[in-house]
Amino acid sequence: MTGTGPEVDSGTGQAAVVPQAGGVPQAGGDPAAWRRLSRRMLVIHPFQELVRSAPALIGLLVAGSTQDGKGHLWSLAALGVMLVLGTLRWFTTTYRVMPQYVQVRKGLLRRKVLTAPRDRIRTVDVTSHVLHRLLGLARVEIGTGRSDRKGGGTLKLDALHATEVERLRDELLHRRPAPSGAFASGRPLTPVAAGGAAAPGTDSRGPGADARDRGTDARGSSPAAETELAVLRPAWIRFGPFTLSGLVAVGVLAGFVSRIASEGNVDLLSIGPVRQVADWFGRGALWLQVAGSVAMLAVFVAVASTLGYVLAFWRFRLTRTAGGTLHVTRGLITTRATTLEERRLRGVELSEPLLLRAASGARVIAVATGLRVGRGAQRGGSMLLPPAPRAEAQAVASRVLGTAGPLAAELTPHGPAALRRRFTRALAFCGSVTAVLLALWYWKGLPAWTWQAAIVVTVAAIPLAADRYRSLGHTTAEGHLVTRWGSVVRRHVALEHEGIIGWNLRRSFFQRRAGLVTLTATTAAGRQGYGVWDVELAEALRLADQGIPGLLTPFLVNGGPAGR
């Protein structure tokens, strides 16, 4: 079967569909043999399809039983279809590793081949769910420059034998040939020449960078094959309730129950325990109902967050390998291993959500090309340390950078104009909303609790504005731009000057009146841009010139931005 699509974008490394003729991809030279996934996936794929379709199957069973009494027949038929589809996934998926690229071929009705150039591979992510571990398998995700976008930049192999996964990861990231007979086809992979092609601008610089590339520490000593940078301590579990990850569990559980009730046409209030709880809440005063609901939610979220922390980060370990990579392993039931090339690393970020900061905790996130964190650091594989004591987080970040200077440097405050702007923005917005609600209460009979709640929010905005100002700070240290901002989530970032590809100066109407500007360092790594918020114009220009000397000079007129 023939499938067509765009050619591979070698500039971005995005996995793309390449044309086929007669079901065989066209490739120059002697192509490696196409290999199948492990045969043990014939057990896992049908089960995965069954779990994915469980709500619909349950709803079909309940709905069919209440209407014509044949719900079990319809459910069995749907179950058979799911099992067949799961089995076909194994028969229609193959892959191969070539000297210059990796390909995955899949699809039944619409056949396609996904291709990723090997010099654009950023990460190899290995995940083992319970069934995978029981059968000795692991799922592999090969990430390129756009691994955060749906359908682009990630090749997935679900799944391979665990020993084969280790050899494949070593071959793809360390650029070394695998041992003879390492893979299922019995044919060793062709080695890539030492110092092979790399994307422009991918070599890290700055203190400790060369040592990282050689697999040695900043002092030049030669470590063992792996150097341990961090390992989970049981005492860190106390930070679990402050992550609020249990809120996701609440949403997932509520959505699952709602979908089953909707598919099965079930009235939840007709269930005895649910009706009893609803009647008990209904008999109490409004404030008691609200307080009880908040207390129950808080307890559930705290327990779920702690359980989620243990499940996600148990046996967490961060190591540096002699091949110049950072290796993260974690997980209790589902294990996950992420390997990141250090030559892709551009800096680190200390992330401190408000509740976690109140408990003196922080987490460490990698700022690396090919690892955007927009969908969540944990899911995207960029987290280098789970919530832990802040001192430990800063120490781990310094070990990753190879120097403690950037994150330990004293930050420059942003002055009284930035302070006034924080309070003006907070109080002007909250005060306006309060005034509108008060007017609607007076003339339109809006419930009084609305403007009363708005007043409470306005009062709470005052310490929040003060905290946002205290979080502001910046400096340059040892070849890094260091910036800090945020209150609900405070971020402290050290970004290598070599990783900055441009500057963005942004001034709103109110910033111009206050003599302030927001300077954003654009980069191909992490969040794609890191800002120095509400800083004086002269200071912003000084920072930009230190980072990339002379870049802004053609755009300046009489010491300021042209056309301001």
Side-chain angles (χ1 to χ4, degrees):
M1 187 169 295
T2 302
T4 59
E7 296 289 345
V8 179
D9 185 353
S10 59
T12 63
Q14 182 179 3
V17 181
V18 297
Q20 296 188 75
V24 180
Q26 302 300 315
D30 182 21
W34 289 94
R35 298 187 284 272
R36 293 193 181 277
L37 306 175
S38 173
R39 289 186 177 88
R40 299 175 186 178
M41 288 306 298
L42 289 172
V43 177
I44 296 182
H45 278 156
F47 181 79
Q48 289 176 334
E49 295 292 341
L50 178 62
V51 172
R52 189 179 295 112
S53 306
L57 293 176
I58 295 174
L60 188 62
L61 175 63
V62 175
S65 300
T66 57
Q67 293 179 7
D68 55 9
K70 299 181 179 180
H72 62 287
L73 297 179
W74 290 108
S75 295
L76 288 176
L79 177 61
V81 172
M82 294 298 103
L83 294 178
V84 170
L85 291 177
T87 303
L88 289 176
R89 287 178 58 190
W90 183 84
F91 286 101
T92 58
T93 303
T94 55
Y95 75 99
R96 66 178 178 179
V97 181
M98 302 290 285
Q100 301 301 327
Y101 52 84
V102 182
Q103 289 184 319
V104 176
R105 183 172 59 183
K106 62 181 181 178
L108 177 62
L109 299 178
R110 187 174 182 271
R111 199 74 166 149
K112 58 183 179 180
V113 175
L114 302 177
T115 303
R118 288 182 57 180
D119 63 350
R120 301 296 294 173
I121 293 175
R122 268 53 168 174
T123 60
V124 176
D125 208 357
V126 180
T127 306
S128 297
H129 297 292
V130 177
L131 280 179
H132 289 78
R133 294 171 64 185
L134 290 176
L135 297 176
L137 303 176
R139 183 178 64 187
V140 181
E141 294 187 15
I142 303 171
T144 60
R146 296 186 179 181
S147 58
D148 64 312
R149 297 185 180 182
K150 183 177 179 180
T154 302
L155 300 184
K156 298 181 181 180
L157 300 174
D158 188 9
L160 304 176
H161 194 274
T163 56
E164 184 176 346
V165 167
E166 293 297 325
R167 297 187 182 103
L168 178 62
R169 179 174 59 193
D170 185 73
E171 163 68 10
L172 293 178
L173 285 180
H174 294 173
R175 304 295 194 267
R176 293 196 298 264
S180 178
F183 296 98
S185 67
R187 301 176 57 182
L189 297 178
T190 305
V192 176
T202 56
D203 291 331
S204 298
R205 293 294 180 265
D210 293 335
R212 296 196 303 266
D213 291 341
R214 295 190 302 268
T216 61
D217 60 24
R219 296 180 301 275
S221 61
S222 178
E226 280 192 339
T227 302
E228 187 176 89
L229 302 181
V231 63
L232 179 72
R233 300 174 186 173
W236 295 357
I237 297 176
R238 72 180 187 271
F239 293 103
F242 300 96
T243 63
L244 294 183
S245 59
L247 285 175
V248 178
V250 172
V252 171
L253 181 61
F256 182 77
V257 172
S258 175
R259 182 173 178 182
I260 290 181
S262 177
E263 295 283 352
N265 196 23
V266 176
D267 183 10
L268 294 178
L269 291 178
S270 63
I271 301 176
V274 177
R275 174 170 289 278
Q276 291 177 5
V277 172
D279 291 342
W280 181 81
F281 268 97
R283 289 193 297 268
L286 177 61
W287 69 268
L288 185 60
Q289 296 177 23
V290 173
S293 300
V294 171
M296 291 178 59
L297 180 63
V299 171
F300 183 85
V301 169
V303 173
S305 298
T306 303
L307 181 60
Y309 187 99
V310 174
L311 292 176
F313 300 116
W314 190 252
R315 294 183 297 189
F316 174 90
R317 189 166 179 258
L318 171 65
T319 59
R320 171 177 284 132
T321 68
T325 60
L326 295 175
H327 188 56
V328 176
T329 56
R330 59 182 176 87
L332 179 60
I333 297 178
T334 298
T335 60
R336 182 174 183 179
T338 302
T339 305
L340 167 67
E341 285 188 303
E342 288 198 88
R343 68 192 185 103
R344 312 287 185 183
L345 194 68
R346 296 293 176 265
V348 294
E349 173 186 320
L350 284 180
S351 176
E352 302 172 82
L354 186 60
L355 290 180
L356 187 60
R357 179 153 50 102
S360 300
R363 56 193 180 189
V364 181
I365 299 173
V367 179
T369 58
L371 278 181
R372 294 183 63 185
V373 296
R375 68 174 190 172
Q378 181 175 329
R379 290 182 56 199
S382 58
M383 184 174 291
L384 298 179
L385 187 72
R390 193 185 189 285
E392 179 68 19
Q394 185 166 341
V396 170
S398 298
R399 295 184 202 123
V400 171
L401 286 178
T403 174
L407 292 176
E410 183 178 356
L411 301 181
T412 302
H414 285 200
L419 175 63
R420 290 193 301 269
R421 180 168 164 77
R422 289 293 171 275
F423 278 97
T424 300
R425 294 180 66 182
L427 296 180
F429 176 77
C430 294
S432 299
V433 173
T434 302
V436 171
L437 293 177
L438 188 60
L440 291 176
W441 166 77
Y442 185 81
W443 281 293
K444 298 294 183 180
L446 195 70
W449 65 266
T450 56
W451 63 265
Q452 294 170 356
I455 291 179
V456 173
V457 172
T458 303
V459 174
I462 297 176
L464 184 64
D467 184 66
R468 290 183 64 202
Y469 172 73
R470 285 194 299 268
S471 296
L472 291 177
H474 68 274
T475 190
T476 56
E478 300 185 16
H480 291 76
L481 170 67
V482 184
T483 178
R484 189 180 66 189
W485 76 95
S487 179
V488 177
V489 179
R490 187 167 73 180
R491 308 186 190 279
H492 191 176
V493 178
L495 178 65
E496 289 181 353
H497 286 163
E498 290 292 331
I500 299 174
I501 59 178
W503 298 100
N504 183 7
L505 290 168
R506 187 175 70 252
R507 306 182 75 188
S508 68
F509 171 78
F510 296 103
Q511 282 180 310
R512 288 197 299 270
R513 291 180 61 87
L516 300 176
V517 64
T518 295
L519 174 69
T520 301
T522 58
T523 176
R527 301 179 186 279
Q528 314 297 290
Y530 294 90
V532 181
W533 295 82
D534 288 339
V535 68
E536 293 182 357
L537 178 59
E539 178 67 8
L541 296 177
R542 185 188 68 82
L543 288 174
D545 194 62
Q546 284 187 347
I548 308 179
L551 179 64
L552 294 183
T553 301
F555 304 96
L556 301 180
V557 176
N558 297 328
R564 65 174 178 170

